[in-house]
Amino acid sequence: MERIEQHACFGGSQEVWQHFSSTLDCDMRFGVYLPPQARQGACPVLYWLSGLTCTEQNFITKAGAQRYAAEHGIILVAPDTSPRGKDVADDEGYDLGQGAGFYINATVDPWSRHYQMHDYVVQELPALVDAHFQTTTARAISGHSMGGHGALVAALRNPGRYRSVSAFSPIVAPSQVPWGEKAFISYLGPDREAWRQWDATALIPAATERLPLLVDQGEADEFMASELRPDLLQAACAASGHPLELRMQSGYDHSYYFIASFIGDHIAHHAAALKA
């Protein structure tokens, strides 16, 4: 663990750390915001998963989340979106390879050596954070777009691990949309049945934990109809009786202007669950 950035922020400290990941077999970076309350004792942790093309920098510099984390005494952890490095498999497209890990565990060469982002986010990174910072056992998870997909899937696949989950503009049915189909056939191979374990709408019916889902979706989002399909999540939750609060926000697009507008609501949502 090496700290490579540190900035005073709302009475706390916004930091970026680098470490070698045994899960991903490469060096990784993550942002961590330590609220002022962290100087007095342990705090709960909210994990944020970013979307396609992002690094750990997008959320920590654009979302304005630190203000709300400081108010509620929550540590924010924002990892990179994929393994990176000259020896890590990549693709010319923005929606595959480095910057596009999709938070799944790849099973097909050449991706399987490094692209184990689900295990990194759910297991290795929290263990590292818990070992180096004063944290409680309470965790929450959230994300945007590809990261919203990752957050929903992580919560649904790991009952009891998170107190709460939310998402902005998530890819809710990746096995049914172009972004997800391209990634899944590359990372997982052609067996569509194997894809279902990484698809939130497919996981909902068998979920053993009815963790309420908070989802914000901008109605002016250019990707909503073709890639995000909130209607499919709404239908899956309705059919299974899974609690969902889907908030359609008029005039908002897919950008961080949208996230910054409602991130305070999401952090308050997580704070209520983390401190219950």
Side-chain angles (χ1 to χ4, degrees):
M1 284 274 287
E2 176 189 6
R3 187 171 60 197
I4 58 177
E5 286 187 37
Q6 183 178 24
H7 311 280
C9 188
F10 290 101
S13 180
Q14 177 62 60
E15 304 177 0
V16 176
W17 289 75
Q18 180 170 291
H19 71 103
F20 179 79
S21 166
S22 58
T23 301
L24 306 178
D25 193 23
C26 66
D27 288 332
M28 289 293 288
R29 292 183 177 184
F30 66 91
V32 57
Y33 175 67
L34 302 172
Q37 296 88 335
R39 289 194 289 268
Q40 278 75 51
C43 295
V45 185
L46 170 59
Y47 289 86
W48 172 270
L49 308 183
S50 294
L52 286 168
T53 76
C54 291
T55 69
E56 80 288 342
Q57 292 291 325
N58 295 72
F59 179 70
I60 67 176
T61 58
K62 295 180 179 180
Q66 294 92 339
R67 170 187 171 183
Y68 305 103
E71 290 177 4
H72 292 286
I74 294 174
I75 295 171
L76 300 177
V77 174
D80 200 349
T81 51
S82 78
R84 296 186 191 267
K86 62 182 179 63
D87 296 326
V88 175
D90 200 7
D91 185 85
E92 292 182 357
Y94 74 94
D95 51 357
L96 187 68
Q98 296 186 35
F102 267 82
Y103 304 103
I104 66 175
N105 293 336
T107 57
V108 175
D109 290 336
W111 311 102
S112 56
R113 175 184 169 190
H114 297 285
Y115 286 75
Q116 305 293 312
M117 283 298 293
H118 177 80
D119 283 356
Y120 174 72
V121 166
V122 173
Q123 298 176 13
E124 184 180 13
L125 182 60
L128 196 68
V129 169
D130 291 346
H132 285 83
F133 307 103
Q134 290 195 76
T135 63
T136 70
T137 58
R139 301 185 188 92
I141 193 164
S142 185
H144 171 233
S145 194
M146 177 185 71
H149 141 75
L152 295 175
V153 168
L156 290 166
R157 284 174 56 102
N158 298 275
R161 187 154 187 82
Y162 303 101
R163 296 276 185 90
S164 54
V165 58
S166 73
F168 288 83
S169 311
I171 306 171
V172 302
S175 63
Q176 301 181 57
V177 299
W179 276 342
E181 289 179 330
K182 179 178 179 179
F184 283 10
I185 198 169
S186 298
Y187 296 146
L188 303 172
D191 181 6
R192 285 181 172 265
E193 190 60 32
W195 298 4
R196 292 176 59 81
Q197 64 181 307
W198 304 106
D199 185 310
T201 60
L203 293 170
I204 287 287
T208 58
E209 179 185 42
R210 296 301 184 185
L211 198 63
L213 311 181
L214 171 61
V215 175
D216 269 319
Q217 173 65 60
E219 290 185 346
D221 191 321
E222 64 270 37
F223 303 113
M224 182 172 66
S226 59
E227 304 285 2
L228 308 178
R229 299 298 306 275
D231 56 302
L232 296 179
L233 180 65
Q234 191 171 40
C237 288
S240 301
H242 197 108
L244 166 67
E245 183 180 2
L246 174 61
R247 309 194 311 181
M248 303 300 296
Q249 305 290 2
S250 176
Y252 286 90
D253 58 19
H254 199 68
S255 70
Y256 264 83
Y257 296 109
F258 171 45
I259 296 169
S261 298
F262 298 102
I263 192 65
D265 291 354
H266 282 241
I267 292 180
H269 165 79
H270 293 295
L274 289 168
K275 297 177 180 180

